[in-house]
Amino acid sequence: EEYLAITDGPARLEYLARVTAVPEDPELAGIVLDLYHYTLQFAQRQRFPGDKVSALFSIVKETHDQSMQNFWPARRSFEFFKKLLLEHSVQRPPYSVGLFSLADVKAITAFASAGYFRHYMLYKYAFTAKTEMAFTTVFQHTLTVPDAFLQPLAAGEDEDKKLAREEAEALAKLSTGLVQVTAEEIAAAGVPEDIREKLLAEVNEALIKTHAAIEDRFNEEHAALQERVQSLNAQLTGLPVKAAAPAPVQKPAKA
């Protein structure tokens, strides 16, 4: 009633800003005040009494607040609006009250469809929280060079010589020593005492045969590597390639 008693437009907006909770952002506050102002003007044109004006204002305000807070799509928002309007249009205490007539419902629905819901996406865009990210590129320059980063030229090595050295080192690391099982290991494995001696002899015999096969394979690879190393050395020094001497064969000890 106080609002309807005010005849000046700017004064009405000042009154609404004073009695309603509007956003702190001036632009958003202006949008909300316009929505409230046009709603109350519509109610005045329909010659609604004070109770209908209050109900319509509450319906529009609640619809807008819930829609923007929950990021509802237009269809969900309109369904919520119709639900509130229906609760004030059917006399069914205590669930609803028959405040608006059928003609009022049609007029209010047409007003909301042509106004608020027609521009719903604009409202949603204006009231959707926006996240802004700022990226900053920082260039860091190393003023000191690590000691191991640069090496003196005297420490350099020819690539072919390096390859020959690495192959020789790899060859020297190879080991093909014979490994045999002891009587203590057989006993620790829980083998019955009456068959330990026989089992020990069979296991070691199998290991000897396996070792012999591995030794033959090792000798072949050893000869090939030796020939490779000599070939590289010959390319570096210009000397003729000598045939690689066969590697000595280690005879396995008898068990």
Side-chain angles (χ1 to χ4, degrees), residues 87-139:
E87 291 176 353
H88 293 80
S89 305
V90 178
Q91 186 66 24
R92 194 179 57 161
Y95 304 103
S96 61
V97 57
L99 185 62
F100 296 110
S101 64
L102 179 59
D104 295 337
V105 171
K106 291 182 178 180
I108 294 172
T109 304
F111 163 75
S113 300
Y116 182 75
F117 291 106
R118 183 179 181 181
H119 304 95
Y120 183 80
M121 295 305 297
L122 297 177
Y123 282 101
K124 191 174 181 181
Y125 175 80
F127 285 87
T128 298
K130 300 174 180 62
T131 301
E132 296 183 358
M133 301 181 65
F135 294 91
T136 303
T137 303
V138 179
F139 294 94

Short mmCIF file of all heavy atoms in Angstrom, two decimals, residues 87-139:
data_model
loop_
_atom_site.label_atom_id
_atom_site.label_comp_id
_atom_site.label_asym_id
_atom_site.label_seq_id
_atom_site.Cartn_x
_atom_site.Cartn_y
_atom_site.Cartn_z
N GLU A 87 -0.43 -22.52 -6.00
CA GLU A 87 -0.65 -22.56 -4.56
C GLU A 87 -1.42 -21.35 -4.06
O GLU A 87 -1.94 -21.37 -2.93
CB GLU A 87 0.69 -22.66 -3.83
CG GLU A 87 1.40 -23.98 -4.03
CD GLU A 87 2.77 -24.01 -3.38
OE1 GLU A 87 3.20 -22.93 -2.89
OE2 GLU A 87 3.41 -25.07 -3.35
N HIS A 88 -1.48 -20.29 -4.85
CA HIS A 88 -2.24 -19.09 -4.47
C HIS A 88 -3.51 -18.92 -5.31
O HIS A 88 -4.10 -17.84 -5.33
CB HIS A 88 -1.37 -17.84 -4.64
CG HIS A 88 -0.23 -17.78 -3.67
ND1 HIS A 88 0.94 -18.48 -3.85
CD2 HIS A 88 -0.10 -17.10 -2.49
CE1 HIS A 88 1.75 -18.23 -2.85
NE2 HIS A 88 1.16 -17.40 -2.01
N SER A 89 -3.90 -19.99 -5.99
CA SER A 89 -5.07 -19.88 -6.88
C SER A 89 -6.13 -20.94 -6.60
O SER A 89 -7.21 -20.90 -7.19
CB SER A 89 -4.64 -20.01 -8.35
OG SER A 89 -3.64 -19.05 -8.65
N VAL A 90 -5.84 -21.89 -5.74
CA VAL A 90 -6.79 -22.97 -5.42
C VAL A 90 -7.05 -22.95 -3.92
O VAL A 90 -6.10 -22.98 -3.12
CB VAL A 90 -6.24 -24.34 -5.85
CG1 VAL A 90 -7.22 -25.45 -5.46
CG2 VAL A 90 -5.97 -24.37 -7.34
N GLN A 91 -8.31 -22.90 -3.56
CA GLN A 91 -8.68 -22.86 -2.15
C GLN A 91 -8.66 -24.29 -1.60
O GLN A 91 -9.62 -25.05 -1.74
CB GLN A 91 -10.07 -22.22 -1.99
CG GLN A 91 -10.50 -22.01 -0.55
CD GLN A 91 -9.62 -20.98 0.16
OE1 GLN A 91 -9.01 -20.14 -0.47
NE2 GLN A 91 -9.57 -21.07 1.48
N ARG A 92 -7.55 -24.63 -0.96
CA ARG A 92 -7.42 -25.96 -0.38
C ARG A 92 -6.53 -25.89 0.87
O ARG A 92 -5.40 -26.34 0.86
CB ARG A 92 -6.82 -26.95 -1.39
CG ARG A 92 -6.98 -28.41 -0.99
CD ARG A 92 -6.39 -29.33 -2.02
NE ARG A 92 -4.99 -29.06 -2.29
CZ ARG A 92 -4.15 -29.91 -2.86
NH1 ARG A 92 -4.60 -31.10 -3.24
NH2 ARG A 92 -2.90 -29.58 -3.08
N PRO A 93 -7.08 -25.26 1.93
CA PRO A 93 -6.29 -25.12 3.15
C PRO A 93 -5.92 -26.50 3.72
O PRO A 93 -6.72 -27.44 3.60
CB PRO A 93 -7.23 -24.35 4.09
CG PRO A 93 -8.27 -23.76 3.18
CD PRO A 93 -8.41 -24.70 2.04
N PRO A 94 -4.79 -26.65 4.32
CA PRO A 94 -3.73 -25.64 4.51
C PRO A 94 -2.67 -25.65 3.40
O PRO A 94 -1.62 -25.07 3.57
CB PRO A 94 -3.12 -26.07 5.84
CG PRO A 94 -3.20 -27.57 5.79
CD PRO A 94 -4.47 -27.89 5.05
N TYR A 95 -2.95 -26.37 2.31
CA TYR A 95 -1.94 -26.52 1.26
C TYR A 95 -1.91 -25.34 0.30
O TYR A 95 -0.85 -25.00 -0.23
CB TYR A 95 -2.20 -27.81 0.47
CG TYR A 95 -2.27 -29.03 1.36
CD1 TYR A 95 -3.49 -29.59 1.70
CD2 TYR A 95 -1.11 -29.60 1.87
CE1 TYR A 95 -3.55 -30.71 2.51
CE2 TYR A 95 -1.17 -30.72 2.69
CZ TYR A 95 -2.40 -31.27 3.01
OH TYR A 95 -2.45 -32.36 3.81
N SER A 96 -3.04 -24.73 0.05
CA SER A 96 -3.08 -23.59 -0.87
C SER A 96 -4.26 -22.70 -0.51
O SER A 96 -5.16 -23.09 0.23
CB SER A 96 -3.21 -24.08 -2.32
OG SER A 96 -4.40 -24.83 -2.49
N VAL A 97 -4.22 -21.50 -1.08
CA VAL A 97 -5.27 -20.53 -0.81
C VAL A 97 -5.76 -19.95 -2.13
O VAL A 97 -4.96 -19.64 -3.02
CB VAL A 97 -4.76 -19.42 0.14
CG1 VAL A 97 -3.55 -18.72 -0.45
CG2 VAL A 97 -5.86 -18.42 0.46
N GLY A 98 -7.05 -19.85 -2.28
CA GLY A 98 -7.62 -19.35 -3.53
C GLY A 98 -7.62 -17.84 -3.59
O GLY A 98 -8.68 -17.21 -3.47
N LEU A 99 -6.45 -17.24 -3.79
CA LEU A 99 -6.34 -15.78 -3.82
C LEU A 99 -6.58 -15.24 -5.22
O LEU A 99 -7.32 -14.26 -5.40
CB LEU A 99 -4.94 -15.37 -3.32
CG LEU A 99 -4.69 -13.87 -3.18
CD1 LEU A 99 -5.65 -13.26 -2.17
CD2 LEU A 99 -3.24 -13.62 -2.75
N PHE A 100 -5.97 -15.86 -6.24
CA PHE A 100 -6.13 -15.40 -7.62
C PHE A 100 -7.23 -16.19 -8.32
O PHE A 100 -7.35 -17.41 -8.15
CB PHE A 100 -4.81 -15.56 -8.39
CG PHE A 100 -3.69 -14.72 -7.86
CD1 PHE A 100 -2.61 -15.31 -7.22
CD2 PHE A 100 -3.71 -13.34 -7.99
CE1 PHE A 100 -1.56 -14.54 -6.74
CE2 PHE A 100 -2.67 -12.56 -7.50
CZ PHE A 100 -1.59 -13.16 -6.87
N SER A 101 -8.00 -15.48 -9.15
CA SER A 101 -9.02 -16.14 -9.95
C SER A 101 -8.40 -16.72 -11.22
O SER A 101 -7.22 -16.50 -11.51
CB SER A 101 -10.12 -15.14 -10.32
OG SER A 101 -9.57 -14.11 -11.15
N LEU A 102 -9.21 -17.43 -12.00
CA LEU A 102 -8.71 -18.01 -13.24
C LEU A 102 -8.27 -16.91 -14.21
O LEU A 102 -7.23 -17.04 -14.88
CB LEU A 102 -9.79 -18.88 -13.89
CG LEU A 102 -9.41 -19.54 -15.22
CD1 LEU A 102 -8.20 -20.43 -15.06
CD2 LEU A 102 -10.60 -20.33 -15.78
N ALA A 103 -9.01 -15.82 -14.25
CA ALA A 103 -8.63 -14.70 -15.12
C ALA A 103 -7.32 -14.08 -14.65
O ALA A 103 -6.46 -13.69 -15.47
CB ALA A 103 -9.74 -13.66 -15.15
N ASP A 104 -7.14 -14.00 -13.33
CA ASP A 104 -5.88 -13.46 -12.79
C ASP A 104 -4.70 -14.36 -13.16
O ASP A 104 -3.63 -13.86 -13.54
CB ASP A 104 -5.97 -13.33 -11.28
CG ASP A 104 -7.01 -12.30 -10.83
OD1 ASP A 104 -7.34 -11.41 -11.64
OD2 ASP A 104 -7.47 -12.40 -9.68
N VAL A 105 -4.90 -15.66 -13.06
CA VAL A 105 -3.83 -16.60 -13.38
C VAL A 105 -3.41 -16.47 -14.84
O VAL A 105 -2.21 -16.45 -15.16
CB VAL A 105 -4.26 -18.05 -13.06
CG1 VAL A 105 -3.23 -19.06 -13.59
CG2 VAL A 105 -4.47 -18.23 -11.57
N LYS A 106 -4.38 -16.36 -15.74
CA LYS A 106 -4.06 -16.22 -17.16
C LYS A 106 -3.30 -14.91 -17.42
O LYS A 106 -2.33 -14.89 -18.18
CB LYS A 106 -5.35 -16.25 -17.98
CG LYS A 106 -6.02 -17.61 -18.02
CD LYS A 106 -7.27 -17.58 -18.90
CE LYS A 106 -7.93 -18.94 -18.98
NZ LYS A 106 -9.15 -18.91 -19.82
N ALA A 107 -3.73 -13.84 -16.79
CA ALA A 107 -3.08 -12.54 -16.99
C ALA A 107 -1.66 -12.55 -16.42
O ALA A 107 -0.72 -12.05 -17.05
CB ALA A 107 -3.90 -11.44 -16.34
N ILE A 108 -1.49 -13.12 -15.24
CA ILE A 108 -0.16 -13.17 -14.62
C ILE A 108 0.78 -14.05 -15.44
O ILE A 108 1.95 -13.70 -15.66
CB ILE A 108 -0.26 -13.70 -13.18
CG1 ILE A 108 -1.02 -12.69 -12.30
CG2 ILE A 108 1.12 -13.96 -12.59
CD1 ILE A 108 -1.34 -13.19 -10.91
N THR A 109 0.28 -15.20 -15.92
CA THR A 109 1.11 -16.09 -16.73
C THR A 109 1.54 -15.41 -18.03
O THR A 109 2.69 -15.53 -18.46
CB THR A 109 0.36 -17.39 -17.03
OG1 THR A 109 -0.05 -18.01 -15.80
CG2 THR A 109 1.22 -18.35 -17.83
N ALA A 110 0.60 -14.69 -18.66
CA ALA A 110 0.94 -13.98 -19.90
C ALA A 110 1.96 -12.88 -19.63
O ALA A 110 2.89 -12.68 -20.43
CB ALA A 110 -0.33 -13.40 -20.51
N PHE A 111 1.81 -12.18 -18.50
CA PHE A 111 2.75 -11.12 -18.17
C PHE A 111 4.16 -11.69 -17.93
O PHE A 111 5.16 -11.17 -18.43
CB PHE A 111 2.27 -10.37 -16.92
CG PHE A 111 3.32 -9.56 -16.24
CD1 PHE A 111 3.74 -8.35 -16.78
CD2 PHE A 111 3.91 -10.00 -15.06
CE1 PHE A 111 4.73 -7.59 -16.16
CE2 PHE A 111 4.90 -9.25 -14.44
CZ PHE A 111 5.31 -8.05 -14.99
N ALA A 112 4.24 -12.79 -17.16
CA ALA A 112 5.55 -13.37 -16.87
C ALA A 112 6.19 -13.97 -18.12
O ALA A 112 7.40 -13.88 -18.31
CB ALA A 112 5.40 -14.45 -15.79
N SER A 113 5.38 -14.57 -18.99
CA SER A 113 5.93 -15.18 -20.21
C SER A 113 6.47 -14.12 -21.16
O SER A 113 7.53 -14.31 -21.79
CB SER A 113 4.85 -16.02 -20.90
OG SER A 113 4.40 -17.06 -20.05
N ALA A 114 5.75 -13.01 -21.29
CA ALA A 114 6.17 -11.96 -22.22
C ALA A 114 7.29 -11.10 -21.67
O ALA A 114 7.98 -10.41 -22.43
CB ALA A 114 4.97 -11.08 -22.58
N GLY A 115 7.47 -11.11 -20.35
CA GLY A 115 8.48 -10.26 -19.74
C GLY A 115 9.66 -11.04 -19.21
O GLY A 115 10.69 -11.20 -19.89
N TYR A 116 9.51 -11.58 -18.01
CA TYR A 116 10.65 -12.22 -17.34
C TYR A 116 11.17 -13.43 -18.11
O TYR A 116 12.37 -13.54 -18.37
CB TYR A 116 10.24 -12.63 -15.92
CG TYR A 116 11.35 -13.25 -15.12
CD1 TYR A 116 12.37 -12.48 -14.60
CD2 TYR A 116 11.37 -14.63 -14.90
CE1 TYR A 116 13.41 -13.05 -13.87
CE2 TYR A 116 12.39 -15.21 -14.16
CZ TYR A 116 13.41 -14.42 -13.65
OH TYR A 116 14.43 -15.00 -12.94
N PHE A 117 10.30 -14.35 -18.48
CA PHE A 117 10.76 -15.59 -19.11
C PHE A 117 11.16 -15.39 -20.57
O PHE A 117 11.93 -16.18 -21.11
CB PHE A 117 9.70 -16.67 -18.98
CG PHE A 117 9.52 -17.15 -17.57
CD1 PHE A 117 8.41 -16.77 -16.83
CD2 PHE A 117 10.48 -17.94 -16.96
CE1 PHE A 117 8.25 -17.20 -15.53
CE2 PHE A 117 10.34 -18.36 -15.65
CZ PHE A 117 9.21 -17.99 -14.92
N ARG A 118 10.67 -14.35 -21.20
CA ARG A 118 11.12 -14.05 -22.55
C ARG A 118 12.58 -13.61 -22.56
O ARG A 118 13.32 -13.88 -23.51
CB ARG A 118 10.23 -12.97 -23.16
CG ARG A 118 10.59 -12.65 -24.60
CD ARG A 118 9.67 -11.59 -25.16
NE ARG A 118 9.98 -11.28 -26.54
CZ ARG A 118 9.33 -10.35 -27.27
NH1 ARG A 118 8.33 -9.66 -26.71
NH2 ARG A 118 9.68 -10.13 -28.52
N HIS A 119 12.99 -12.93 -21.48
CA HIS A 119 14.37 -12.46 -21.37
C HIS A 119 15.14 -13.24 -20.31
O HIS A 119 16.11 -12.75 -19.74
CB HIS A 119 14.38 -10.97 -21.01
CG HIS A 119 13.63 -10.12 -21.98
ND1 HIS A 119 12.31 -9.76 -21.77
CD2 HIS A 119 13.99 -9.57 -23.18
CE1 HIS A 119 11.89 -9.00 -22.78
NE2 HIS A 119 12.89 -8.88 -23.65
N TYR A 120 14.71 -14.48 -20.07
CA TYR A 120 15.30 -15.26 -18.98
C TYR A 120 16.80 -15.48 -19.17
O TYR A 120 17.58 -15.41 -18.21
CB TYR A 120 14.57 -16.61 -18.86
CG TYR A 120 15.07 -17.46 -17.72
CD1 TYR A 120 14.63 -17.22 -16.41
CD2 TYR A 120 15.98 -18.49 -17.93
CE1 TYR A 120 15.09 -18.00 -15.35
CE2 TYR A 120 16.43 -19.27 -16.87
CZ TYR A 120 15.98 -19.01 -15.59
OH TYR A 120 16.44 -19.77 -14.55
N MET A 121 17.22 -15.76 -20.39
CA MET A 121 18.64 -16.02 -20.64
C MET A 121 19.49 -14.79 -20.34
O MET A 121 20.63 -14.91 -19.90
CB MET A 121 18.86 -16.48 -22.08
CG MET A 121 18.21 -17.83 -22.40
SD MET A 121 18.74 -19.15 -21.28
CE MET A 121 20.49 -19.23 -21.64
N LEU A 122 18.92 -13.60 -20.57
CA LEU A 122 19.66 -12.38 -20.23
C LEU A 122 19.80 -12.24 -18.71
O LEU A 122 20.86 -11.85 -18.21
CB LEU A 122 18.95 -11.16 -20.81
CG LEU A 122 18.88 -11.11 -22.34
CD1 LEU A 122 18.09 -9.88 -22.79
CD2 LEU A 122 20.28 -11.08 -22.94
N TYR A 123 18.72 -12.55 -17.99
CA TYR A 123 18.81 -12.53 -16.53
C TYR A 123 19.86 -13.54 -16.04
O TYR A 123 20.68 -13.25 -15.17
CB TYR A 123 17.44 -12.86 -15.91
CG TYR A 123 16.45 -11.73 -15.92
CD1 TYR A 123 15.44 -11.66 -16.87
CD2 TYR A 123 16.51 -10.72 -14.96
CE1 TYR A 123 14.53 -10.62 -16.88
CE2 TYR A 123 15.60 -9.68 -14.94
CZ TYR A 123 14.61 -9.64 -15.91
OH TYR A 123 13.70 -8.60 -15.92
N LYS A 124 19.80 -14.72 -16.60
CA LYS A 124 20.72 -15.78 -16.18
C LYS A 124 22.17 -15.40 -16.48
O LYS A 124 23.07 -15.67 -15.68
CB LYS A 124 20.36 -17.09 -16.89
CG LYS A 124 21.08 -18.30 -16.34
CD LYS A 124 20.57 -19.56 -16.99
CE LYS A 124 21.28 -20.79 -16.41
NZ LYS A 124 20.80 -22.04 -17.05
N TYR A 125 22.39 -14.79 -17.62
CA TYR A 125 23.76 -14.37 -17.97
C TYR A 125 24.26 -13.30 -17.00
O TYR A 125 25.41 -13.32 -16.57
CB TYR A 125 23.79 -13.83 -19.39
CG TYR A 125 25.13 -13.27 -19.79
CD1 TYR A 125 26.17 -14.11 -20.19
CD2 TYR A 125 25.37 -11.89 -19.76
CE1 TYR A 125 27.41 -13.60 -20.54
CE2 TYR A 125 26.61 -11.37 -20.11
CZ TYR A 125 27.63 -12.23 -20.50
OH TYR A 125 28.85 -11.71 -20.84
N ALA A 126 23.37 -12.37 -16.66
CA ALA A 126 23.78 -11.27 -15.78
C ALA A 126 24.06 -11.74 -14.36
O ALA A 126 24.98 -11.24 -13.70
CB ALA A 126 22.70 -10.18 -15.77
N PHE A 127 23.29 -12.74 -13.87
CA PHE A 127 23.42 -13.15 -12.48
C PHE A 127 24.27 -14.40 -12.28
O PHE A 127 24.42 -14.86 -11.15
CB PHE A 127 22.02 -13.39 -11.88
CG PHE A 127 21.28 -12.13 -11.58
CD1 PHE A 127 20.51 -11.51 -12.55
CD2 PHE A 127 21.36 -11.54 -10.33
CE1 PHE A 127 19.83 -10.33 -12.28
CE2 PHE A 127 20.68 -10.37 -10.04
CZ PHE A 127 19.92 -9.75 -11.03
N THR A 128 24.81 -14.95 -13.36
CA THR A 128 25.69 -16.12 -13.21
C THR A 128 27.07 -15.66 -12.78
O THR A 128 27.65 -14.77 -13.40
CB THR A 128 25.79 -16.91 -14.53
OG1 THR A 128 24.49 -17.40 -14.88
CG2 THR A 128 26.74 -18.08 -14.38
N ALA A 129 27.57 -16.28 -11.72
CA ALA A 129 28.90 -15.92 -11.22
C ALA A 129 29.95 -16.29 -12.26
O ALA A 129 29.91 -17.36 -12.86
CB ALA A 129 29.19 -16.64 -9.91
N LYS A 130 30.88 -15.40 -12.47
CA LYS A 130 31.92 -15.60 -13.48
C LYS A 130 33.27 -15.76 -12.78
O LYS A 130 33.57 -15.06 -11.81
CB LYS A 130 31.97 -14.43 -14.47
CG LYS A 130 30.65 -14.23 -15.22
CD LYS A 130 30.70 -12.99 -16.07
CE LYS A 130 29.38 -12.80 -16.81
NZ LYS A 130 28.25 -12.63 -15.89
N THR A 131 34.05 -16.68 -13.27
CA THR A 131 35.39 -16.93 -12.73
C THR A 131 36.43 -16.44 -13.72
O THR A 131 36.41 -16.82 -14.89
CB THR A 131 35.60 -18.43 -12.46
OG1 THR A 131 34.59 -18.89 -11.55
CG2 THR A 131 36.97 -18.68 -11.87
N GLU A 132 37.29 -15.58 -13.26
CA GLU A 132 38.35 -15.05 -14.10
C GLU A 132 39.70 -15.54 -13.58
O GLU A 132 39.97 -15.50 -12.38
CB GLU A 132 38.32 -13.51 -14.09
CG GLU A 132 37.04 -12.93 -14.71
CD GLU A 132 37.07 -11.42 -14.75
OE1 GLU A 132 38.08 -10.85 -14.25
OE2 GLU A 132 36.12 -10.81 -15.25
N MET A 133 40.52 -16.00 -14.49
CA MET A 133 41.84 -16.50 -14.14
C MET A 133 42.90 -15.63 -14.82
O MET A 133 42.78 -15.33 -16.00
CB MET A 133 42.01 -17.97 -14.58
CG MET A 133 41.00 -18.91 -13.95
SD MET A 133 41.24 -20.62 -14.46
CE MET A 133 42.84 -20.95 -13.73
N ALA A 134 43.89 -15.25 -14.06
CA ALA A 134 44.97 -14.43 -14.58
C ALA A 134 46.26 -15.25 -14.55
O ALA A 134 46.61 -15.84 -13.53
CB ALA A 134 45.13 -13.16 -13.74
N PHE A 135 46.93 -15.30 -15.69
CA PHE A 135 48.18 -16.04 -15.80
C PHE A 135 49.34 -15.05 -15.95
O PHE A 135 49.24 -14.08 -16.70
CB PHE A 135 48.15 -16.99 -17.01
CG PHE A 135 47.13 -18.08 -16.87
CD1 PHE A 135 45.83 -17.91 -17.33
CD2 PHE A 135 47.47 -19.28 -16.28
CE1 PHE A 135 44.90 -18.92 -17.21
CE2 PHE A 135 46.54 -20.30 -16.15
CZ PHE A 135 45.26 -20.11 -16.62
N THR A 136 50.41 -15.35 -15.27
CA THR A 136 51.62 -14.53 -15.34
C THR A 136 52.81 -15.42 -15.68
O THR A 136 53.00 -16.46 -15.05
CB THR A 136 51.89 -13.81 -14.01
OG1 THR A 136 50.74 -13.01 -13.68
CG2 THR A 136 53.10 -12.90 -14.12
N THR A 137 53.56 -15.02 -16.69
CA THR A 137 54.74 -15.77 -17.10
C THR A 137 55.97 -15.14 -16.46
O THR A 137 56.20 -13.94 -16.59
CB THR A 137 54.89 -15.77 -18.63
OG1 THR A 137 53.71 -16.32 -19.20
CG2 THR A 137 56.09 -16.61 -19.05
N VAL A 138 56.73 -15.96 -15.75
CA VAL A 138 57.93 -15.49 -15.06
C VAL A 138 59.13 -16.18 -15.69
O VAL A 138 59.18 -17.41 -15.74
CB VAL A 138 57.87 -15.79 -13.56
CG1 VAL A 138 59.15 -15.32 -12.86
CG2 VAL A 138 56.65 -15.12 -12.94
N PHE A 139 60.07 -15.41 -16.18
CA PHE A 139 61.28 -15.95 -16.77
C PHE A 139 62.38 -15.96 -15.71
O PHE A 139 62.66 -14.94 -15.07
CB PHE A 139 61.74 -15.11 -17.97
CG PHE A 139 60.78 -15.15 -19.13
CD1 PHE A 139 59.80 -14.18 -19.28
CD2 PHE A 139 60.85 -16.18 -20.06
CE1 PHE A 139 58.91 -14.23 -20.35
CE2 PHE A 139 59.97 -16.23 -21.12
CZ PHE A 139 59.00 -15.26 -21.27
#
